[in-house]
């Protein structure tokens, strides 16, 4: 079962009305997009992007069999290129934009691309299969660069030790799978996380995913572009899953608030206890929103 995170909160902040033009920049399984479609019907427009073409194909099938009277444009694109996509599609400024950041449970479970340290899959960890995969990045970065990436994007305190072990292994033979990488990390920091609930590979995997996909760069780019993308009265809602993302969103919204933009969430909205129990992945979610005046 697919559980879109903070669905009611997103809908009430975005306030999609019949006939409006809304963008879902991270469409994935369409959990938010489907609800938006219902609300903008009849005669609304939905532009849904996902960088992962598998997700777009899946969503096309799912939405294709439904009977809706809206214009639906689905594209396998990076949301950081939204301005170009809108220009190519001759779409006007939007009435709403939702970004639900990071990766999805579908990608963790079924992509076969090594997003999970619990699986033994080829170590790609990228949304766009054409992108430089993590297994190549591990080869190309120096030990110091790798340690810095791991520390910067996850705060992993054993980053130096882990980077050293990774490079030592690569000098002997390449690391090809997520399982191999997870094993090296486990061996390097034995017992480090024993008492906590967190797997020792969690932070390193997060850091490598953020770096490989330039997740923070993409977010910064779209935050900067918002005035070009959003119409007067339009709303933007962003769900982030870790503090590095939330900080970018918070600061961008604060800066916008000095220029005809109202911040709708003085504090970020977080999931209720019952949502977290139903969908543990939602536990670190933070939702912030603004309205262009
Ligand atoms: C958390 S999921 C979104 C779930 C969706 N809101 C739903 O309820 O079904 C995040 C999705 O964003 C996509 N994604 C990540 N970075 C992206 C980017 N820069 N541009 C477009 N899509 C991106 C991922 O491929 C993933 O499918």
């Amino acid at each position: 079962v697919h559980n879109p995170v903070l669905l009611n909160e997103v809908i009430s902040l975005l306030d999609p009305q019949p006939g409006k033009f809304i963008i879902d920049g991270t469409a994935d399984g369409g959990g938010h997009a489907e609800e938006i479609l219902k609300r903008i019907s009849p005669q609304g427009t939905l532009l849904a992007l996902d960088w992962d073409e598998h997700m777009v194909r899946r969503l096309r099938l799912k939405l294709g069999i439904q009977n809706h009277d809206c214009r639906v444009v689905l594209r396998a694109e990076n949301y950081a290129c939204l301005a170009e996509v809108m220009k190519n599609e001759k779409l006007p400024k939007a009435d709403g934009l939702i970004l639900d950041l990071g990766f999805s449970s579908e990608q963790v479970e079924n992509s076969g691309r090594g997003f999970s340290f619990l699986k033994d899959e080829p170590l790609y960890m990228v949304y766009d299969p054409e992108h430089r995969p993590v297994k190549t990045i591990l080869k190309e970065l120096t030990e110091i660069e790798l340690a810095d990436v791991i520390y910067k994007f996850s705060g992993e305190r054993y980053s130096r030790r882990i980077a050293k072990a990774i490079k030592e292994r690569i000098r002997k033979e390449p690391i090809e799978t997520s399982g191999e990488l997870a094993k090296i990390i486990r061996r390097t920091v034995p017992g480090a996380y024993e008492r906590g609930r967190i797997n020792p590979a969690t932070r390193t995997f997060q850091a490598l995913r953020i770096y490989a996909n330039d997740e923070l760069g993409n977010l910064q780019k779209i935050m900067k572009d918002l005035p070009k993308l959003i119409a007067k009265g339009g709303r933007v809602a962003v769900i982030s899953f870790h503090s590095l993302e939330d900080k970018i969103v918070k600061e961008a919204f604060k800066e916008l608030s000095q220029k005809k933009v109202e911040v709708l969430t003085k504090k970020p909205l977080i999931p209720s206890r019952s949502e977290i129990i139903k969908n543990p992945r939602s536990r670190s979610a933070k939702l912030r929103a603004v309205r262009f005046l």
Side-chain angles (χ1 to χ4, degrees), residues 38 43 53 91 102 110 113 154-155 165 221 243 246 282-283:
K38 277 188 220 154
Q43 281 163 14
E53 64 185 25
L91 287 163
N110 299 321
R113 265 176 274 152
S154 75
K221 166 84 166 56
S243 56
D246 185 54
S282 71
R283 70 185 174 279

Side-chain angles (χ1 to χ4, degrees), residues 129-235:
E130 304 288 305
H131 223 67
R132 187 171 62 138
V134 163
K135 60 179 188 170
T136 308
I137 290 173
L138 294 182
K139 265 188 251 163
E140 291 178 357
L141 294 184
T142 65
E143 185 180 317
I144 291 175
E145 286 166 345
L146 183 56
D148 287 348
V149 163
I150 296 172
Y151 184 73
K152 183 171 167 201
F153 297 125
S154 75
E156 170 60 70
R157 61 194 153 123
Y158 300 107
S159 56
R160 308 238 159 258
R161 260 204 249 172
I162 292 171
K164 185 161 181 266
I166 290 173
K167 294 307 279 190
E168 267 168 14
R169 151 72 189 248
I170 288 177
R171 274 193 288 277
K172 286 183 232 139
E173 63 179 315
I175 299 174
E176 293 288 346
T177 71
S178 50
E180 289 165 16
L181 177 60
K183 207 158 128 195
I184 293 165
I185 300 169
R186 254 197 326 270
R187 266 203 235 120
T188 310
V189 289
Y193 293 91
E194 245 158 34
R195 262 164 296 137
R197 285 174 308 147
I198 166 173
N199 184 302
T202 309
R203 293 208 166 91
T204 303
F205 269 64
Q206 173 187 307
L208 292 172
R209 195 200 75 228
I210 293 175
Y211 177 76
N213 295 286
D214 192 17
E215 292 189 14
L216 303 184
N218 293 330
L219 185 57
Q220 273 157 342
K221 166 84 166 56
I222 196 165
M223 289 293 118
K224 206 170 98 228
D225 284 353
L226 286 178
K228 275 196 276 181
L229 308 174
I230 307 298
K232 248 188 187 177
R235 291 154 180 254

Side-chain angles (χ1 to χ4, degrees), residues 7-289:
L7 180 61
N8 293 334
E9 292 81 352
V10 165
I11 294 298
S12 91
L13 286 166
L14 269 190
D15 191 28
Q17 295 287 330
K20 294 289 183 185
F21 166 32
I22 309 287
I23 304 170
D24 186 338
T26 53
D28 183 50
H32 293 104
E34 274 188 298
E35 193 57 36
I36 290 167
L37 255 184
K38 277 188 220 154
R39 313 267 173 153
I40 59 175
S41 172
Q43 281 163 14
T45 302
L46 172 74
L47 170 62
L49 305 186
D50 199 292
W51 206 3
D52 186 336
E53 64 185 25
H54 299 279
M55 298 300 137
V56 173
R57 231 178 287 142
R58 202 169 62 118
L59 186 58
R60 184 164 284 132
L61 285 175
K62 192 166 162 193
L63 295 181
I65 48 176
Q66 284 170 11
N67 192 6
H68 45 74
D69 44 16
C70 290
R71 178 176 175 208
V72 180
V73 182
L74 299 179
R75 293 287 174 267
E77 295 279 358
N78 184 343
Y79 64 63
C81 307
L82 198 47
E84 283 157 66
V85 176
M86 287 163 75
K87 197 170 152 214
N88 292 342
E89 301 295 334
K90 300 194 170 49
L91 287 163
K93 283 184 171 184
D95 301 305
L97 166 68
I98 161 78
L99 295 174
D100 177 10
L101 300 171
F103 58 169
S104 72
S105 32
E106 172 64 22
Q107 284 161 330
V108 173
E109 294 306 323
N110 299 321
S111 72
R113 265 176 274 152
F115 282 102
S116 166
F117 46 78
L118 298 174
K119 294 185 180 244
D120 196 25
E121 299 171 341
L123 191 56
Y124 291 109
M125 249 201 259
V126 282
Y127 302 117
D128 174 359
E130 304 288 305
H131 223 67
R132 187 171 62 138
V134 163
K135 60 179 188 170
T136 308
I137 290 173
L138 294 182
K139 265 188 251 163
E140 291 178 357
L141 294 184
T142 65
E143 185 180 317
I144 291 175
E145 286 166 345
L146 183 56
D148 287 348
V149 163
I150 296 172
Y151 184 73
K152 183 171 167 201
F153 297 125
S154 75
E156 170 60 70
R157 61 194 153 123
Y158 300 107
S159 56
R160 308 238 159 258
R161 260 204 249 172
I162 292 171
K164 185 161 181 266
I166 290 173
K167 294 307 279 190
E168 267 168 14
R169 151 72 189 248
I170 288 177
R171 274 193 288 277
K172 286 183 232 139
E173 63 179 315
I175 299 174
E176 293 288 346
T177 71
S178 50
E180 289 165 16
L181 177 60
K183 207 158 128 195
I184 293 165
I185 300 169
R186 254 197 326 270
R187 266 203 235 120
T188 310
V189 289
Y193 293 91
E194 245 158 34
R195 262 164 296 137
R197 285 174 308 147
I198 166 173
N199 184 302
T202 309
R203 293 208 166 91
T204 303
F205 269 64
Q206 173 187 307
L208 292 172
R209 195 200 75 228
I210 293 175
Y211 177 76
N213 295 286
D214 192 17
E215 292 189 14
L216 303 184
N218 293 330
L219 185 57
Q220 273 157 342
K221 166 84 166 56
I222 196 165
M223 289 293 118
K224 206 170 98 228
D225 284 353
L226 286 178
K228 275 196 276 181
L229 308 174
I230 307 298
K232 248 188 187 177
R235 291 154 180 254
V236 179
V238 185
I239 304 175
S240 63
F241 288 88
H242 53 78
S243 56
L244 297 169
E245 285 172 346
D246 185 54
K247 188 163 174 249
I248 292 173
V249 178
K250 183 180 166 187
E251 282 173 6
F253 282 1
K254 194 170 156 204
E255 208 180 310
L256 281 168
S257 72
Q258 283 149 25
K259 300 179 228 146
K260 295 196 170 169
V261 172
E262 178 193 5
V263 177
L264 300 173
T265 46
K266 296 294 169 235
K267 277 195 179 158
L269 304 189
I270 55 172
S272 62
R273 266 172 63 94
S274 64
E275 176 165 1
I276 296 172
I277 292 166
K278 247 195 345 210
N279 179 14
R281 206 191 87 83
S282 71
R283 70 185 174 279
S284 40
K286 286 196 173 140
L287 167 62
R288 296 184 185 270

